[in-house]
């Protein structure tokens, strides 16, 4: 199967190799807009529009056209937020040939004079606009892949909500086509009605004076979250993340989510990080979803229900944080058993009962047992004194890799080698 990238310039913009491939195809698969770009006199293959939903239909289409020469049309670069990734995952890269076309991002950066490597790309195709929040920082340049004609207005509204109303927006539509055009304005006074659905939104991020600055490091200010007091406080949160040690692509279980701060900041560490927040209280669970959206990680998964029952069926975690429910029967055991070998577990508590439990696990499983104490300076009459927060006991451990399986006959071979070695030493003596 060959995947051919095509732009808004259609057939005239294709490279010779791409044209030859499409001419020779028995079957042409793509979206209606892409198929319409091919001249019937040049491409005689059977035309098939993608069904919806697309991904579940792929195996059936492959089986249906087995033995025939199939070409799939994709917008721009098929491997950049495109169908190429899906087909590679289903077919395997060895059964796929990809002929890319310049992506909309390459076109946009060329028009704007922006360096591609310095420009952050956010796709809102099939994703909530809130995903933009985590990328909005003063001075940053963003390119937003639009879901349709309404995306520019959605982007402008979200920027205003997050304190970036002064940001400059440019909507680049029909990039590469004869009817390519640009509209621009400022987010807080976006003047344009919905236009062409095929567009990319360029954002020069500029913050208003009252915009809240959110650092990339863990330990966001406590007031960044809506909460009812069930929140891992800022300084303890930063220490907790040092022990959790997130890495790109890893999955966290946040057990006893509270306000969701641990799962949210785990996902903010890298856009490929994933998290599941488990919270038994439905009100708090909804609050976690709100906080995740407000802080730019709407993909945080929230499971409402008690642990350990709600842990069943969840994907294997690379790290587990337990911030509540430690004394519930079976919680620690279930988390430890589910954790992959080499994974990290961190548990925090302020009660003597849970502290005793963590001390026992530390004795049996090793790791580190520490106490974190934080005090804040507060007014005392006309002076200043320290107000001590409740100390937090933290247990952190790494689950050991399982021992390598013994090779059959290895013990006997080792014994024979030892006997031979002893005999040699005896002859020497």
């Amino acid at each position: 199967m060959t995947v051919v990238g095509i732009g808004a310039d259609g057939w005239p913009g294709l490279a010779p190799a791409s044209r030859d491939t499409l001419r020779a195809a028995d079957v042409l698969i793509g979206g209606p807009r892409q198929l319409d770009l091919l001249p019937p006199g040049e491409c005689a293959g059977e035309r098939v529009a993608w069904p919806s939903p697309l991904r579940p239909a792929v195996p059936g289409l492959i089986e249906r056209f087995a033995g025939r020469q199939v070409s799939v049309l994709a917008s721009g670069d098929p491997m950049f937020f495109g169908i190429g990734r899906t087909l590679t995952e289903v077919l395997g890269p060895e059964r796929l040939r990809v002929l890319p076309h310049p992506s909309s991002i390459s076109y946009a950066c060329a028009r704007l004079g922006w360096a591609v490597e310095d420009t952050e790309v956010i796709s809102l195709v099939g994703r909530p606009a809130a995903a933009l929040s985590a990328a909005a920082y003063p001075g940053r340049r963003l390119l937003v892949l639009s879901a349709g004609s309404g995306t520019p207005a959605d982007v402008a509204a979200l920027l205003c909500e997050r304190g970036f109303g002064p940001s400059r927006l440019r909507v680049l539509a029909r990039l590469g086509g004869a009817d390519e055009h640009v509209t621009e304005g400022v987010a807080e006074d976006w003047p344009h009605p919905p236009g062409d659905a095929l567009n990319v939104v360029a954002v020069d991020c500029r913050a208003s004076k009252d915009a809240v600055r959110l650092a990339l490091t863990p330990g966001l200010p406590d007031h960044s979250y809506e909460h009812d007091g069930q929140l891992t406080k800022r300084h303890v949160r930063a220490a907790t993340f040092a022990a959790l040690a997130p890495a790109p692509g890893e999955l966290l279980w946040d057990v006893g989510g509270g306000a969701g701060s641990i799962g949210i900041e785990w996902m903010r560490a890298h856009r490929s990080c994933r998290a599941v927040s488990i919270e038994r209280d439905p009100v708090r669970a909804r609050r976690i979803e709100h906080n995740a959206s407000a802080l730019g990680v709407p993909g945080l998964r929230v499971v409402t229900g008690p642990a350990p029952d709600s842990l069943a069926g969840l994907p294997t975690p690379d790290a587990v944080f337990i911030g509540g429910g430690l004394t519930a029967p079976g919680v620690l055991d279930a988390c430890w058993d589910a954790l992959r070998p080499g994974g990290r577990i961190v548990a925090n508590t302020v009660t003597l009962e849970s502290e005793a439990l963590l001390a026992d696990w530390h004795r049996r499983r090793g790791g580190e047992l520490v106490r974190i104490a934080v005090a804040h300076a507060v007014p005392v009459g006309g002076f200043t004194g320290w107000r001590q927060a409740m100390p937090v006991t933290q247990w952190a451990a790494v689950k050991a890799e399982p021992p390598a399986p013994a090779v059959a006959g290895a013990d006997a071979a080792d014994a024979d080698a030892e006997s031979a070695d002893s005999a040699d030493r005896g002859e020497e003596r």
Side-chain angles (χ1 to χ4, degrees), residues 241-255:
F241 267 90
L244 285 171
E250 290 189 327
L251 172 68
L252 169 78
W253 284 4
D254 179 10
V255 182

Side-chain angles (χ1 to χ4, degrees), residues 354-377:
S354 293
E355 185 178 274
L357 182 64
L358 294 183
D360 180 60
W361 275 77
H362 174 254
R363 178 184 59 80
R364 292 189 289 122
R365 301 292 186 182
E368 282 191 308
L369 192 65
V370 300
R371 176 167 289 179
I372 304 167
V374 178
H376 295 271

Side-chain angles (χ1 to χ4, degrees), residues 166-212:
S167 299
R168 180 187 182 191
L169 270 59
R170 282 171 281 184
V171 180
L172 300 93
R174 310 293 299 180
L175 283 163
D179 54 349
E180 177 182 312
H181 58 278
V182 180
T183 54
E184 64 177 285
V186 177
E188 60 193 2
D189 187 27
W190 185 245
H192 305 289
D196 197 294
L198 197 63
N199 73 80
V200 174
V201 184
V203 183
D204 279 295
C205 293
R206 299 171 185 169
S208 61
K209 292 181 180 179
D210 57 349
V212 177

Side-chain angles (χ1 to χ4, degrees), residues 7-31:
D9 49 357
W11 184 258
L14 291 175
S18 296
R19 291 189 186 186
D20 292 343
T21 298
L22 295 172
R23 288 190 187 105
D26 300 318
V27 180
L28 299 162
I29 304 176

Side-chain angles (χ1 to χ4, degrees), residues 1-52:
M1 182 176 285
T2 303
V3 186
V4 179
I6 191 169
D9 49 357
W11 184 258
L14 291 175
S18 296
R19 291 189 186 186
D20 292 343
T21 298
L22 295 172
R23 288 190 187 105
D26 300 318
V27 180
L28 299 162
I29 304 176
R33 179 183 62 81
Q34 296 155 344
L35 292 170
D36 288 344
L37 294 172
L38 303 183
E42 297 279 357
C43 304
E46 177 186 351
R47 302 189 179 207
V48 178
W50 283 117
S52 181

